[in-house]
Amino acid sequence: MTTVDTGARRRPRVPPFVRYLARRLAIAVGLLLGSTLVGFLLVQAVPGDPVAANLSDEALGDPQAVAAFEERWGLDEPLPVQYLTYLANLVQGDFGMSQHTGRPVLEDLLDHVPATLEIAVPAFVLSVLLGIAIGMFAALRHGKAADQAVRVGSLLGLSTPPFWMSLLVLYLFFFVLGLSPGGGRLSPEFSPPPAVTGLYPVDALLAGEPMVAWDAVQHAALPVLVLTLITTATLVRFVRSALLEVLRKDYITAAHAKGLPARTVRYRHLLRAGLVQIMTMAGLTFASMLAGTVLIESVFAWPGVGNYAYASASALDRPAILGVTVFVAAAYILINLVVDLLYGLADPRIRLS
Amino acid sequence: MSADPDTDELLAVENLAVRLPGPDGPVPVLEDVSLSVRRGEIVGIAGESGSGKSMTARTLLDLLPTGAEVSGTLRFDGAELDHRDRKAMHAVRGHGIAMVFQDPTAAMHPMLSVGRQLTEHMRVHLGLTRTQAKARAVELLEQVRLPDPEGALRSYPHQFSGGQLQRIAIASALAARPRLLIADEPTTALDVTVQAGILGVLDSLRSDFDLSVLFITHDLGVLASLASHTCVFQHGRVVESAPTADLLRSPEHPYTRALLAARTDPAEVP
Ligand SMILES: Nc1ncnc2c1ncn2[C@@H]1O[C@H](COP(=O)(O)OP(=O)(O)OP(=O)(O)O)[C@@H](O)[C@H]1O
Ligand SMILES: [Mg+2]
């Protein structure tokens, strides 16, 4: 084995996979920094006076309070210095105060992000499983009636506007069937459980209140359903075409030629090869779910990131807009990093060279 | 070699015709193909690119694209080879008839270790344990003269050259003890010395294990010292079929003569 021997003779001191990860990590940090800069520059375009917007009328009348505010955010300084001040505050966890809620932006995010996670995580897990199962089912029946049915179904799911689908689902399950308790995260008779994870069903169970947990699950069910339907439709199409591409490869024919059981070829050979691409797509999908799905959240009165972003934008709330932007960028970058890590673990060509 | 053709025969293909689905209806790719291989015999298939050599190989193992129409008789080891009998086909694939694909790089799964790809069908067909299968894989890699077989089992396809992969592919094809090996241009991508090595390996396997080989090539000269019988393909048909020595000495079909004349190295033609 000439190639392997050569590798052994000039063995690099750092394993290739570690170098690969270090490079990805460096890129992630750079991207994160870049996204704060872009976000910062973009909110400069938001009309309005930040001092007037952030201080109460009472504080505005007090020159000392105004000066203190300007000093804290470096508002009397040139733009580059303002950016550096923002960055310095950011790394200390200070995102500034939200104008429309009157609370620190970080606290707002810590309230809204778990709400989004509460519907995004189950919807993500469900749609990845369904997407792979249905996409593979269709790919293995390429061109047959079942494949056509899947294609039409996923196209239908994709072309239905999320807002419209949310209304339909709400109408059906709430008004017609009476199976859903309606919008929001909890029924009014319950109060939110003490925050540990911020996820109501989990926190309620931790607090020993199964009734509250069950109520929270029932409230989450419909937004999860809509999000799952839409995401599954995207993933099915992607999985199907990724697997069709793999099915054309010689190594799949070669696996059949070896007399392996169809199941082995399907899961060990076909899915294994397609998984790398599917992971990338799944990561992007999850990131977009975390960015919040404004239209779904507003129909179900779900206090997630999307609703917060919408409210912040309507109120021209600079710190909040910037806070959401930085959070969403960080989520994308982090998920990408995880995907890169899994990518390296799954593909020996990345892991070993 | 026994004189009785019936007990000696391992593979018989009679009047095979294959049509593949095309944009304007079925396209014939094989017509009236007949050939046979005896136990311990190497039979050559020669012909230009696109003449249907690989399609013949794929038809035997039922690896044609969906929608292919196949007619004719296939007999393997005394029994009819029925593609609709899925259980029987699973047993034949790899165990009865094994195949070395034309492009060794494309025929190996890029994300599965060489060890796994060499042992998985052994375990299915021969019922070996993981340890037994691994030991046999090491033996096979030694047989095809790949250095450091133990290390190779832990490696992945991208860590090998084309020639090394071709040897690994041959080892993998032999893993489940097939009686017929179909080698689809196993030496085309290799340089002359490696090519000679592989041909040597195939011939010793034939004499040591009574293995039959269907050797596909577009180069008639390679068959001279290897195959006892040769079929020449053109446009999906067998245009000439004769003992290799006769065929090379006095080719009857003009296409065979053209193929011979196209050979660049006349020294290899006896
Ligand atoms: N999937 C397919 N659908 C339709 N026609 C095909 C398909 N694959 C191959 N063919 C046609 O079948 C014929 C025989 O192809 P085959 O691969 O058997 O040639 P070959 O003799 O192996 O050539 P080469 O020496 O280039 O490998 C060719 O004319 C080719 O165009
Ligand atoms: Mg071919």
Side-chain angles (χ1 to χ4, degrees), chain A residues 250-336:
Chain A
D250 267 5
Y251 56 79
I252 297 299
T253 312
H256 284 299
K258 285 155 84 175
L260 297 175
R263 286 176 59 90
T264 311
V265 179
R266 218 174 282 164
Y267 295 106
R268 195 182 292 166
H269 294 245
L270 172 64
L271 194 54
R272 180 65 196 269
L275 217 48
V276 174
Q277 280 187 60
I278 294 171
M279 270 177 349
T280 310
M281 186 65 185
L284 279 177
T285 310
F286 189 51
S288 80
M289 284 177 165
L290 291 190
T293 32
V294 188
L295 296 175
I296 298 176
E297 288 182 2
S298 61
V299 172
F300 293 103
W302 194 262
V305 176
N307 259 339
Y308 185 64
Y310 179 71
S312 311
S314 321
L316 300 179
D317 184 346
R318 285 195 197 197
I321 295 172
L322 193 47
V324 171
T325 310
V326 170
F327 163 75
V328 169
Y332 264 96
I333 292 164
L334 187 73
I335 288 166
N336 238 310

Side-chain angles (χ1 to χ4, degrees), chain A residues 214-230:
Chain A
W214 176 233
D215 186 65
V217 168
Q218 283 180 303
H219 276 82
L222 290 192
V224 167
L225 175 68
V226 173
L227 203 50
T228 303
L229 285 177
I230 291 167

Side-chain angles (χ1 to χ4, degrees), chain A residues 40 73-88:
Chain A
F40 181 82
W73 294 100
L75 291 181
D76 42 356
E77 305 282 351
L79 214 54
V81 180
Q82 280 188 40
Y83 171 65
L84 290 179
T85 312
Y86 175 75
L87 213 53

